[in-house]
Amino acid sequence: MNSQTSTFRMLIDGALVDGEQTMAVINPSTGQPFAHSPRASLRQMEQAINTASRSFPAWSRTTMQTRRALILRIADLIEEHCLELAHLLTQEQGKPLRDAQAEVQGTAAFFRYVAQCRIETQTLEESTTRHAYLQRQPLGVVAVITPWNFPLMLLAFKVPHALLAGNTVVIKPAATTPLTTLKLGELIVDALPAGVVNIVTDHNDLGDALSSHPQVAKISFTGSTATGYKVMANAAKSLKRLTLELGGNDPGIVLDDADPKQIAPGIVRAAFFNSGQACIALKRLYVPDSLYEALSHELWSHCQRLVLGDGLDSQTTLGPLQNQQQFQKVKSLLEDARQHGRVLSAGTVPEGAGYFLPPTLVLDIEDGTRLVDEEQFGPVLPVIRYSNVEQAIAMANRSPYGLGASVWASDLERARGVADQLQAGTVWINQHIDLGPHIPQCGSKQSGFGIELGAEGLLEFTQAKVININPGLGIAAQDPQKEHMNAEQTSN
Ligand code: NAD
């Protein structure tokens, strides 16, 4: 927080506004501030929630055609400004520019996909005695709260769905990566009616005010499990609808028929993508005795090909940790791991104050150590030896988390058998971190609940409502099969 001016502004009630204070945003590749962000006061947060609430009735009565067109317009604007957004994303988040571009393009693609989704009314019974239908209604104001690892992409898991369903939104990005979200606000300010999308940036101090506000009907939250507990407690006060996408400690199990050469590139990508700062990164790998040496050798050789550096450097394939706190946390886990395993770090660390950690394998380490048991969220992969597959499944399931998991094998039938026994929202086979806008994403155990993406994810932004008619009285109703929520008569 300081008195510097910010060239970025928040979006409240259809206007770009300054924060009552500003805060420095640090480039993790240099460890130095490179821009200033507005920092909202509690009053500004409340103003954003109030305006979203006031705008809800009119927005919820717009036709689906209108909403589709506006979501597509947002997708166009993101694409038109892809390079600018990607450059900013690399500076605030640290990821290599190529990955930042992919994130921006993915964000636009997810908006575009959602724009063509349908929300149907379901016929429950049409008999001479009863006509019953299940239709879907918007909820009201949705709080969209995002973390710092994929500031734009994770917003695209929530915002287009909320808007298509007829809700208004208040978006609150993480304090260390506010700028790309603010930039998006600047791009879309003239495209949407005032108050439908609001963007407020804080110093990690207004989350409680947003998630406990009585006018917020739903919270769509992505972040750590520790914060998830607080959000759930806040939501309970007024029984808000809630989707929690929380932390993970994804295991990968290699079966003894796998080919080390074939699977190593996919495993290294899954563990080191975004410098390991992905909720669904592969965070612990279980390898049978028979393949341990050969696979460790292959993994090491792929780690050595990663190039650590500033994401704006075209050679870089692995960026820094996003913030000082995360940097210190992963370093402390690595320090602890040195006492329990063989630590192999590849490449050279750039000089300077950036938050750089080299890609690291930790061999001969076991369950029960901090690095294996905690969510490490860094460019480090512990490789754990096992002697029978039941033991590996038990170790994989021992975690309180249950986000993703993967099985690596040649015999896909056998791999399916292991996948069936893993406690996770998604189990991949011979891959990890594969997502699509049509594929539901969900956590189990303490990785959260509720679903994002896919048809189920869209419905989470709606309230089910039953219409039950006695057809013996009155004149027949119109076609109930039409898309609900002020569907245009011609539909779509
Ligand atoms: P975090 O929980 O610290 O912060 C997430 C967001 O919550 C931020 O915007 C923060 O300002 C806000 N917040 C803080 N206190 C709040 C409160 N009391 N009420 C409401 N909001 C509050 O998480 P982070 O460190 O930014 O992100 C990393 C974590 O996110 C990791 O645990 C990672 O696994 C998780 N994550 C999960 C998914 C998923 O889909 N399951 C995806 C990405 C990241």
Side-chain angles (χ1 to χ4, degrees), residues 146-148 172 204 207-208 221-224 227 245-247 279 375:
T146 51
W148 46 255
K172 197 204 79 56
N204 211 15
D208 278 327
F221 174 83
T222 302
S224 63
T227 310
E245 291 287 350
L246 307 178
C279 53
E375 183 189 34

Side-chain angles (χ1 to χ4, degrees), residues 150-220:
F150 295 93
L152 284 179
M153 194 68 221
L154 292 172
L155 180 153
F157 281 32
K158 307 166 186 301
V159 174
H161 308 76
L163 294 180
L164 185 72
N167 305 285
T168 56
V169 299
V170 177
I171 305 171
K172 197 204 79 56
T176 55
T177 53
L179 301 182
T180 41
T181 308
L182 291 168
K183 183 72 200 169
L184 179 65
E186 201 180 294
L187 297 178
I188 66 174
V189 60
D190 295 327
L192 287 165
V196 170
V197 173
N198 302 274
I199 298 173
V200 179
T201 45
D202 72 339
H203 197 57
N204 211 15
D205 56 346
L206 294 178
D208 278 327
L210 178 58
S211 57
S212 62
H213 198 286
Q215 285 180 50
V216 170
K218 176 184 168 88
I219 306 166
S220 182

